[in-house]
Amino acid sequence: MSLPIDTIRALANEHPKPGHLHFQYGTAGFRTLGVNLDSVIFRVGLLAGLRSKKLDGKTIGVMITASHNPEDDNGVKLVDPRGEMLEASWEAHATALANATTTDTLISTLDQLVSSLRIDLSKPAKVVYARDTRPSGASLVASLEDGFRALNIEARNAGITTTPILHYLVRAINTKETKEPYGDDTEEGYMQKLSGAFKKLVAGKPAIPPLIIDCANGVGTQAARELGQYLGSSLPLVLHNTDTTSPGILNHGCGADFVKTQQKLPPSLAAHLRPGQRACSLDGDADRLMYFYLDDRGHFHMLDGDKIAALVAAFIVDLVKSAGLEEDIRVGIVQTAYANGGSTKYLSERLPVRCVPTGVKHLHHAAEHYNIGVYFEANGHGTVLFSPETQVKLAEHQPSTPAQSTALTHLNNLVQVINQTVGDALSDMLLVEVVLAHRSYSGIEWDSLYVDLPNRLVKVVVPDRAIFKTEDAERRLVNPPGLQSKIDDLVRKYESGRSFVRPSGTEDVVRVYAEARVRAQADELAFRVAGLVYDETGGDPAQRPSEFL
Ligand code: G16
């Protein structure tokens, strides 16, 4: 069987590639201004079909979202059959297809892929797809559907939903009628699975006070609303920033990325949050989660992905011990260079900790090496993985005491409440609430597990971020030459100083992270390193990062 060239040609001609643009499948798929993505999304439709055929007709996911980015951006990522990110070797194929300059080169690139990857075109192709609430989403879905039509792909539209729900659906569809079904392959199935396990985990605990959720004016709004109905009084949710239709407000002055990068309360919550009350922010596609609270003096305290990892990992370790399984089950943590030095110290005194490059795909794979792998990026993106063998062990282990039995039941319910396919703000939120309920912690006790080193993240706009190359899990620059030693010289001047520079995978900027013993020093170090980066790339002196200098 060969490619349906005529159909592909006719449809591809309706989605021409803009001549001047180069696209790259990066940290989170393709991501750029929504108006530039028509051809890319059409071609992703084709690629999803090839991927499914290559995997013997397993269902592949396609999510149209730009997550925490501004509203005008959009993007697309592919999801592999177990709900994990697209296999890394296929990222290059995605990039090649996206950059084919004409319909003819697109067809020849497809042909090459089919033969080099030995894809049997007679196999079926199945895809499930969804989008977030961005205004450009509807027309991009139409482009994607043309891609499906071109290859005669059986496609299921999951509508407007969160990234993690799409990942859930992919795994649920592919594990249906297998020995390890992930859940009913519907949004209701997701809600029931998570809320059901949550209710079992908090049964008998004192009533949980209401939790404020900042929905970032994004797609998390409707999912949180629905989840709230399933949870009922087990966890009262109070939703804010729920306007998904007014232009320009998605992720604007709110959401998980705002909280993390600004390290402050979304202004829209100021009138609603009482001292001591817990609140959390989702990002634009609800795969990141940040908690926070105000203390008695009204000071803002952020509980980020590192704090979530510390809270959750310690709880799981205790349960494993109480279940009598500490000799059999090894719990480990995966972080990135952004992890606060305070968290790394706290965690590595208790557990094995690995550092990997930014991007959930790297963390996910590293976490698979543990029996239970807890991975979180500081930005609030993460989850917990229970290896298949561990899940069997937990399901089959015979406890010898009532205490062991209780701990084992909790662990089995955690397996259900956690969305193990990818970081999931709503699932992570339930997980956090479970631990807080079991520990009788407020935000204050949670926050006091360890003290964060003051830190600062700065974006630098440079002419070409591709010249920045890193090594050692992005902790050191190898290019431009000589820049790392200048950074090292600066860092040495600051007590507990640490700084690194990496090109963003989702925005056209270079990111600079710095931390130090005191706030002013962390700020100063960040801006001085940003200045070095700027000078190195020959930017306009008028736009040099100048705060605190
Ligand atoms: C995506 C990835 C995250 C990663 C982030 C980094 O987030 O899924 O794992 O931390 O990009 O972005 P950058 O490379 O720009 O620093 P999201 O939430 O945008 O999908």
Side-chain angles (χ1 to χ4, degrees), residues 27-28 31 66-69 77 85 283 285 287-288 338 358-361 363 377 379 381 502-507 511:
T27 323
R31 202 170 283 187
S67 188
H68 66 281
N69 288 42
K77 42 192 169 190
M85 302 288 188
D283 73 339
D285 63 341
D287 61 3
R288 298 190 192 181
Y338 287 114
T358 301
V360 160
K361 61 184 178 198
L363 289 108
E377 295 183 294
N379 63 24
H381 203 171
R502 59 174 282 277
S504 161
T506 63
E507 289 176 71
R511 301 201 195 280

mmCIF file of all heavy atoms in Angstrom, residues 27-28 31 66-69 77 85 283 285 287-288 338 358-361 363 377 379 381 502-507 511, ligand 1:
data_model
loop_
_atom_site.group_PDB
_atom_site.id
_atom_site.type_symbol
_atom_site.label_atom_id
_atom_site.label_comp_id
_atom_site.label_asym_id
_atom_site.label_seq_id
_atom_site.Cartn_x
_atom_site.Cartn_y
_atom_site.Cartn_z
ATOM 1 N N THR A 27 10.839 21.460 23.710
ATOM 2 C CA THR A 27 10.504 20.941 25.051
ATOM 3 C C THR A 27 9.054 20.488 25.152
ATOM 4 O O THR A 27 8.749 19.501 25.800
ATOM 5 C CB THR A 27 10.695 22.064 26.102
ATOM 6 O OG1 THR A 27 11.805 22.834 25.740
ATOM 7 C CG2 THR A 27 10.850 21.515 27.488
ATOM 8 N N ALA A 28 8.172 21.262 24.541
ATOM 9 C CA ALA A 28 6.744 20.943 24.673
ATOM 10 C C ALA A 28 6.084 20.970 23.299
ATOM 11 O O ALA A 28 5.061 21.597 23.106
ATOM 12 C CB ALA A 28 6.094 21.937 25.621
ATOM 13 N N ARG A 31 5.688 25.380 19.325
ATOM 14 C CA ARG A 31 5.021 26.478 20.023
ATOM 15 C C ARG A 31 5.452 27.816 19.434
ATOM 16 O O ARG A 31 6.639 28.112 19.359
ATOM 17 C CB ARG A 31 5.365 26.431 21.510
ATOM 18 C CG ARG A 31 4.339 27.154 22.328
ATOM 19 C CD ARG A 31 4.541 26.912 23.791
ATOM 20 N NE ARG A 31 4.070 25.609 24.228
ATOM 21 C CZ ARG A 31 4.034 25.245 25.495
ATOM 22 N NH1 ARG A 31 4.458 26.074 26.427
ATOM 23 N NH2 ARG A 31 3.585 24.058 25.846
ATOM 24 N N ALA A 66 -0.828 26.140 24.153
ATOM 25 C CA ALA A 66 0.468 26.763 24.433
ATOM 26 C C ALA A 66 0.580 27.014 25.928
ATOM 27 O O ALA A 66 1.283 27.932 26.365
ATOM 28 C CB ALA A 66 0.650 28.045 23.647
ATOM 29 N N SER A 67 -0.158 26.213 26.693
ATOM 30 C CA SER A 67 0.073 26.139 28.135
ATOM 31 C C SER A 67 0.125 27.505 28.820
ATOM 32 O O SER A 67 -0.814 28.280 28.738
ATOM 33 C CB SER A 67 1.358 25.342 28.346
ATOM 34 O OG SER A 67 1.560 25.067 29.672
ATOM 35 N N HIS A 68 1.283 27.800 29.424
ATOM 36 C CA HIS A 68 1.422 29.037 30.203
ATOM 37 C C HIS A 68 1.717 30.258 29.325
ATOM 38 O O HIS A 68 1.754 31.382 29.815
ATOM 39 C CB HIS A 68 2.555 28.888 31.220
ATOM 40 C CG HIS A 68 3.899 28.756 30.557
ATOM 41 N ND1 HIS A 68 4.327 27.573 30.002
ATOM 42 C CD2 HIS A 68 4.876 29.660 30.327
ATOM 43 C CE1 HIS A 68 5.517 27.751 29.478
ATOM 44 N NE2 HIS A 68 5.883 29.010 29.657
ATOM 45 N N ASN A 69 1.960 30.046 28.033
ATOM 46 C CA ASN A 69 2.346 31.169 27.155
ATOM 47 C C ASN A 69 1.200 32.178 27.005
ATOM 48 O O ASN A 69 0.054 31.862 27.299
ATOM 49 C CB ASN A 69 2.701 30.655 25.764
ATOM 50 C CG ASN A 69 4.023 29.916 25.724
ATOM 51 O OD1 ASN A 69 4.312 29.140 26.619
ATOM 52 N ND2 ASN A 69 4.799 30.131 24.692
ATOM 53 N N LYS A 77 1.361 19.280 20.752
ATOM 54 C CA LYS A 77 2.258 18.196 21.155
ATOM 55 C C LYS A 77 1.593 16.854 20.926
ATOM 56 O O LYS A 77 0.363 16.739 20.969
ATOM 57 C CB LYS A 77 2.760 18.351 22.594
ATOM 58 C CG LYS A 77 1.755 18.783 23.620
ATOM 59 C CD LYS A 77 2.458 19.178 24.937
ATOM 60 C CE LYS A 77 1.510 19.862 25.889
ATOM 61 N NZ LYS A 77 2.106 20.462 27.049
ATOM 62 N N MET A 85 4.964 11.529 26.705
ATOM 63 C CA MET A 85 5.346 12.407 25.599
ATOM 64 C C MET A 85 5.861 11.582 24.405
ATOM 65 O O MET A 85 6.390 10.494 24.592
ATOM 66 C CB MET A 85 6.469 13.351 26.040
ATOM 67 C CG MET A 85 6.119 14.206 27.223
ATOM 68 S SD MET A 85 4.957 15.478 26.768
ATOM 69 C CE MET A 85 4.943 16.441 28.273
ATOM 70 N N ASP A 283 -2.042 26.403 35.461
ATOM 71 C CA ASP A 283 -1.622 27.192 34.296
ATOM 72 C C ASP A 283 -2.634 27.012 33.168
ATOM 73 O O ASP A 283 -3.686 26.393 33.372
ATOM 74 C CB ASP A 283 -0.186 26.837 33.863
ATOM 75 C CG ASP A 283 -0.105 25.478 33.198
ATOM 76 O OD1 ASP A 283 -1.015 24.656 33.411
ATOM 77 O OD2 ASP A 283 0.860 25.219 32.459
ATOM 78 N N ASP A 285 -3.132 25.227 30.595
ATOM 79 C CA ASP A 285 -3.678 23.934 30.169
ATOM 80 C C ASP A 285 -3.758 22.958 31.339
ATOM 81 O O ASP A 285 -3.926 21.754 31.153
ATOM 82 C CB ASP A 285 -2.889 23.334 28.999
ATOM 83 C CG ASP A 285 -1.449 23.020 29.351
ATOM 84 O OD1 ASP A 285 -0.938 23.561 30.352
ATOM 85 O OD2 ASP A 285 -0.827 22.216 28.628
ATOM 86 N N ASP A 287 -1.601 21.752 33.523
ATOM 87 C CA ASP A 287 -0.637 20.705 33.858
ATOM 88 C C ASP A 287 0.386 21.162 34.899
ATOM 89 O O ASP A 287 1.238 20.380 35.314
ATOM 90 C CB ASP A 287 0.048 20.108 32.611
ATOM 91 C CG ASP A 287 0.828 21.121 31.814
ATOM 92 O OD1 ASP A 287 0.907 22.292 32.236
ATOM 93 O OD2 ASP A 287 1.371 20.740 30.747
ATOM 94 N N ARG A 288 0.286 22.409 35.335
ATOM 95 C CA ARG A 288 1.182 22.875 36.410
ATOM 96 C C ARG A 288 0.352 23.361 37.589
ATOM 97 O O ARG A 288 -0.735 23.896 37.395
ATOM 98 C CB ARG A 288 2.006 24.066 35.953
ATOM 99 C CG ARG A 288 2.913 23.800 34.808
ATOM 100 C CD ARG A 288 3.790 25.004 34.681
ATOM 101 N NE ARG A 288 4.537 25.003 33.453
ATOM 102 C CZ ARG A 288 5.391 25.960 33.137
ATOM 103 N NH1 ARG A 288 5.563 26.989 33.954
ATOM 104 N NH2 ARG A 288 6.058 25.911 32.013
ATOM 105 N N TYR A 338 16.493 23.948 38.102
ATOM 106 C CA TYR A 338 15.685 24.998 38.728
ATOM 107 C C TYR A 338 15.293 24.660 40.170
ATOM 108 O O TYR A 338 14.757 25.512 40.870
ATOM 109 C CB TYR A 338 14.388 25.214 37.949
ATOM 110 C CG TYR A 338 14.561 25.915 36.622
ATOM 111 C CD1 TYR A 338 14.303 25.266 35.436
ATOM 112 C CD2 TYR A 338 14.968 27.244 36.577
ATOM 113 C CE1 TYR A 338 14.441 25.913 34.216
ATOM 114 C CE2 TYR A 338 15.116 27.897 35.358
ATOM 115 C CZ TYR A 338 14.850 27.225 34.189
ATOM 116 O OH TYR A 338 14.988 27.883 32.993
ATOM 117 N N THR A 358 15.629 20.300 31.829
ATOM 118 C CA THR A 358 14.235 20.773 31.865
ATOM 119 C C THR A 358 13.360 20.022 30.867
ATOM 120 O O THR A 358 13.806 19.671 29.784
ATOM 121 C CB THR A 358 14.226 22.270 31.484
ATOM 122 O OG1 THR A 358 15.029 22.947 32.421
ATOM 123 C CG2 THR A 358 12.826 22.849 31.517
ATOM 124 N N GLY A 359 12.112 19.851 31.235
ATOM 125 C CA GLY A 359 11.163 19.193 30.327
ATOM 126 C C GLY A 359 10.689 17.893 30.936
ATOM 127 O O GLY A 359 11.495 17.032 31.304
ATOM 128 N N VAL A 360 9.369 17.776 31.015
ATOM 129 C CA VAL A 360 8.778 16.623 31.680
ATOM 130 C C VAL A 360 9.268 15.305 31.088
ATOM 131 O O VAL A 360 9.453 14.319 31.794
ATOM 132 C CB VAL A 360 7.249 16.731 31.604
ATOM 133 C CG1 VAL A 360 6.580 15.416 31.822
ATOM 134 C CG2 VAL A 360 6.773 17.719 32.636
ATOM 135 N N LYS A 361 9.510 15.303 29.768
ATOM 136 C CA LYS A 361 9.931 14.027 29.166
ATOM 137 C C LYS A 361 11.220 13.509 29.822
ATOM 138 O O LYS A 361 11.379 12.314 30.024
ATOM 139 C CB LYS A 361 10.094 14.161 27.660
ATOM 140 C CG LYS A 361 11.133 15.163 27.249
ATOM 141 C CD LYS A 361 11.209 15.346 25.749
ATOM 142 C CE LYS A 361 12.232 16.407 25.436
ATOM 143 N NZ LYS A 361 12.105 16.958 24.101
ATOM 144 N N LEU A 363 12.299 14.203 32.932
ATOM 145 C CA LEU A 363 12.026 13.806 34.321
ATOM 146 C C LEU A 363 11.283 12.475 34.362
ATOM 147 O O LEU A 363 11.576 11.600 35.172
ATOM 148 C CB LEU A 363 11.200 14.890 35.026
ATOM 149 C CG LEU A 363 11.974 16.173 35.309
ATOM 150 C CD1 LEU A 363 11.531 17.292 34.399
ATOM 151 C CD2 LEU A 363 11.806 16.610 36.753
ATOM 152 N N GLU A 377 9.087 19.578 38.522
ATOM 153 C CA GLU A 377 9.871 20.758 38.199
ATOM 154 C C GLU A 377 9.453 21.840 39.191
ATOM 155 O O GLU A 377 8.312 21.839 39.678
ATOM 156 C CB GLU A 377 9.593 21.205 36.767
ATOM 157 C CG GLU A 377 10.065 20.181 35.751
ATOM 158 C CD GLU A 377 9.859 20.651 34.317
ATOM 159 O OE1 GLU A 377 8.722 20.810 33.880
ATOM 160 O OE2 GLU A 377 10.877 20.869 33.645
ATOM 161 N N ASN A 379 8.560 24.656 38.610
ATOM 162 C CA ASN A 379 7.412 25.395 38.082
ATOM 163 C C ASN A 379 6.075 24.708 38.354
ATOM 164 O O ASN A 379 5.025 25.171 37.923
ATOM 165 C CB ASN A 379 7.582 25.655 36.581
ATOM 166 C CG ASN A 379 7.627 24.365 35.747
ATOM 167 O OD1 ASN A 379 7.119 23.329 36.154
ATOM 168 N ND2 ASN A 379 8.240 24.448 34.573
ATOM 169 N N HIS A 381 5.240 21.424 37.623
ATOM 170 C CA HIS A 381 4.894 20.401 36.631
ATOM 171 C C HIS A 381 5.496 19.075 37.087
ATOM 172 O O HIS A 381 6.702 18.938 37.139
ATOM 173 C CB HIS A 381 5.531 20.827 35.294
ATOM 174 C CG HIS A 381 4.857 20.238 34.108
ATOM 175 N ND1 HIS A 381 5.144 20.632 32.836
ATOM 176 C CD2 HIS A 381 3.913 19.294 33.991
ATOM 177 C CE1 HIS A 381 4.395 19.961 31.979
ATOM 178 N NE2 HIS A 381 3.640 19.141 32.672
ATOM 179 N N ARG A 502 20.097 28.974 30.314
ATOM 180 C CA ARG A 502 19.680 27.986 29.299
ATOM 181 C C ARG A 502 18.698 28.629 28.311
ATOM 182 O O ARG A 502 17.934 29.531 28.688
ATOM 183 C CB ARG A 502 19.042 26.744 29.939
ATOM 184 C CG ARG A 502 17.831 27.046 30.773
ATOM 185 C CD ARG A 502 17.148 25.785 31.275
ATOM 186 N NE ARG A 502 16.348 25.138 30.244
ATOM 187 C CZ ARG A 502 15.097 25.496 29.943
ATOM 188 N NH1 ARG A 502 14.489 26.470 30.596
ATOM 189 N NH2 ARG A 502 14.454 24.858 29.006
ATOM 190 N N PRO A 503 18.735 28.167 27.065
ATOM 191 C CA PRO A 503 17.756 28.691 26.108
ATOM 192 C C PRO A 503 16.389 28.084 26.417
ATOM 193 O O PRO A 503 16.298 26.890 26.693
ATOM 194 C CB PRO A 503 18.275 28.184 24.755
ATOM 195 C CG PRO A 503 19.059 26.953 25.072
ATOM 196 C CD PRO A 503 19.614 27.129 26.462
ATOM 197 N N SER A 504 15.340 28.890 26.364
ATOM 198 C CA SER A 504 13.991 28.365 26.587
ATOM 199 C C SER A 504 13.604 27.441 25.446
ATOM 200 O O SER A 504 13.999 27.655 24.302
ATOM 201 C CB SER A 504 13.001 29.523 26.672
ATOM 202 O OG SER A 504 11.690 29.056 26.454
ATOM 203 N N GLY A 505 12.798 26.436 25.759
ATOM 204 C CA GLY A 505 12.269 25.558 24.723
ATOM 205 C C GLY A 505 10.873 25.977 24.280
ATOM 206 O O GLY A 505 10.305 25.389 23.370
ATOM 207 N N THR A 506 10.300 26.966 24.943
ATOM 208 C CA THR A 506 8.919 27.337 24.626
ATOM 209 C C THR A 506 8.746 28.804 24.262
ATOM 210 O O THR A 506 7.679 29.206 23.819
ATOM 211 C CB THR A 506 7.984 27.048 25.823
ATOM 212 O OG1 THR A 506 8.395 27.866 26.918
ATOM 213 C CG2 THR A 506 8.015 25.590 26.233
ATOM 214 N N GLU A 507 9.774 29.620 24.508
ATOM 215 C CA GLU A 507 9.683 31.043 24.164
ATOM 216 C C GLU A 507 11.000 31.453 23.527
ATOM 217 O O GLU A 507 12.035 30.825 23.775
ATOM 218 C CB GLU A 507 9.491 31.901 25.437
ATOM 219 C CG GLU A 507 8.148 31.776 26.088
ATOM 220 C CD GLU A 507 8.110 32.580 27.389
ATOM 221 O OE1 GLU A 507 8.102 33.817 27.316
ATOM 222 O OE2 GLU A 507 8.116 31.973 28.459
ATOM 223 N N ARG A 511 16.879 31.960 29.431
ATOM 224 C CA ARG A 511 16.494 32.132 30.833
ATOM 225 C C ARG A 511 17.727 32.126 31.720
ATOM 226 O O ARG A 511 18.666 31.351 31.493
ATOM 227 C CB ARG A 511 15.566 30.999 31.273
ATOM 228 C CG ARG A 511 14.292 30.909 30.451
ATOM 229 C CD ARG A 511 13.206 30.154 31.209
ATOM 230 N NE ARG A 511 12.117 29.753 30.331
ATOM 231 C CZ ARG A 511 11.137 30.561 29.925
ATOM 232 N NH1 ARG A 511 11.109 31.825 30.310
ATOM 233 N NH2 ARG A 511 10.185 30.117 29.124
HETATM 234 C C1 G16 B 1 6.964 22.997 29.100
HETATM 235 C C2 G16 B 1 7.364 21.638 29.553
HETATM 236 C C3 G16 B 1 7.882 21.710 30.961
HETATM 237 C C4 G16 B 1 9.039 22.677 31.025
HETATM 238 C C5 G16 B 1 8.696 23.980 30.368
HETATM 239 C C6 G16 B 1 9.982 24.730 30.189
HETATM 240 O O1 G16 B 1 5.987 23.487 29.973
HETATM 241 O O2 G16 B 1 6.247 20.789 29.460
HETATM 242 O O3 G16 B 1 8.292 20.459 31.377
HETATM 243 O O4 G16 B 1 9.388 22.950 32.333
HETATM 244 O O5 G16 B 1 8.099 23.793 29.111
HETATM 245 O O6 G16 B 1 9.829 25.818 29.408
HETATM 246 P P1 G16 B 1 11.110 26.590 28.907
HETATM 247 O O7 G16 B 1 11.958 25.637 28.126
HETATM 248 O O8 G16 B 1 10.533 27.703 28.111
HETATM 249 O O9 G16 B 1 11.812 27.096 30.132
HETATM 250 P P2 G16 B 1 4.525 23.875 29.531
HETATM 251 O O10 G16 B 1 3.753 23.987 30.810
HETATM 252 O O11 G16 B 1 4.679 25.177 28.813
HETATM 253 O O12 G16 B 1 4.051 22.766 28.645
#
